[in-house]
Amino acid sequence: FQPKSLLDIGAGPGTMLWATVDVWPELEQAVLVEASASVRKIGQSLAVGAIAARADWVAGDATIDLDGLGPADLVSAAYVLDEIAPASLPKLVGGLWRLTADTLLVVEPGTPAGWQRILAVRSQLIEAGAHVSAPCPHEAPCPLVPPDWCHFSRRVARSRLHRLAKDADVPWEDEKFIYLAASRQPAPVRAARVIAPPKTGSGKAALKLCQPDGSAGERLLSKRDGEVFKSARRADWGDTLA
Ligand SMILES: C[S@@+](CC[C@H](N)C(=O)[O-])C[C@H]1O[C@@H](n2cnc3c(N)ncnc32)[C@H](O)[C@@H]1O
């Protein structure tokens, strides 16, 4: 997957644009839809001269203004669905999928409510013929049952300004998130996903895995498992286990 074009809705200050060029520097073109004029202005000023891809910032409400937009290899919506009225989500998700030439990525806060929104998006997209690329290694119903929920975590460094803005002392925070990547193409390989922080000890690793057969549960691996054990010891929360 080598996207040349990005369509990001609820772009904020361009977070997804920066993340995309970080992974795919060859990105050629980005269209960023953002309702807030002040946030758009910040995003534009941060990106100008710093991002090689051509970036067009579009004013408008993504729930009603998608019609004039063209398809993109990567279509994304990060931390946006929770700002949109639940009744408007199916139409928005349908519109985003129609504009997806290859992959649609939706990211939400890693809360039980964020997970429920992702599950609804997942069902709608599977119904529309999409293939789930990640995090689930299958298209079966999610095997997790509340109060459990699927989410991941990334430690983010806090700058001095960030600490001041949040009145926080610690120089980092653990950002919990949940996401869904849905593709026009079936995934070439499906590998189990680590869905909780691994517990490793001497000669042992316990991993909570979501499996390609649609099940989820803890798997205890030891040196006797050979190469799989070596991979398991290196695997982190969110990784796949080959
Ligand atoms: C929490 S921010 C996320 C920004 C960015 N995607 C990120 O992950 O950092 C949500 C953004 O979505 C924008 N937004 C909310 N509803 C929108 C809508 N219906 N159409 C376009 N933008 C919207 C807000 O103005 C805000 O900038």
Side-chain angles (χ1 to χ4, degrees), residues 55-157:
D56 296 321
W57 291 77
V58 178
D61 180 341
T63 61
I64 46 182
D65 297 332
L66 288 181
D67 288 351
L69 302 171
D73 297 338
L74 176 62
V75 175
S76 56
Y79 287 75
V80 184
L81 300 193
D82 63 340
E83 297 194 8
I84 287 173
S88 302
L89 291 179
K91 183 174 167 237
L92 173 65
V93 171
L96 294 178
W97 180 240
R98 270 192 298 282
L99 290 167
T100 302
D102 191 302
T103 294
L104 172 59
L105 176 65
V106 182
V107 190
E108 282 291 290
T111 58
W115 174 58
Q116 289 297 338
R117 280 190 293 275
I118 289 286
L119 287 183
V121 170
R122 183 179 184 272
S123 301
Q124 182 180 344
L125 291 175
I126 291 171
E127 183 86 355
H131 302 275
V132 175
S133 324
C136 340
H138 58 83
E139 270 112 34
C142 177
L144 299 191
V145 177
D148 197 2
W149 76 99
C150 189
H151 64 291
F152 305 95
S153 181
R154 174 69 70 188
R155 185 152 290 188
V156 182

Side-chain angles (χ1 to χ4, degrees), residues 5 9 24 38 42 57 64 69 78 82 84 105 114 130 136 139 159-160 164 169-170 175 180 186 189 194 197 218 230:
S5 53
I9 69 126
W24 297 289
S38 52
I42 291 170
W57 291 77
I64 46 182
L69 302 171
D82 63 340
I84 287 173
L105 176 65
C136 340
E139 270 112 34
S159 65
R160 191 173 155 272
L164 278 173
D169 298 323
V170 189
E175 178 62 26
L180 182 82
V189 184
V194 181
E218 195 164 89
K230 282 188 197 159

Side-chain angles (χ1 to χ4, degrees), residues 41 87 135 160 236:
K41 202 169 149 199
R160 191 173 155 272
D236 201 357

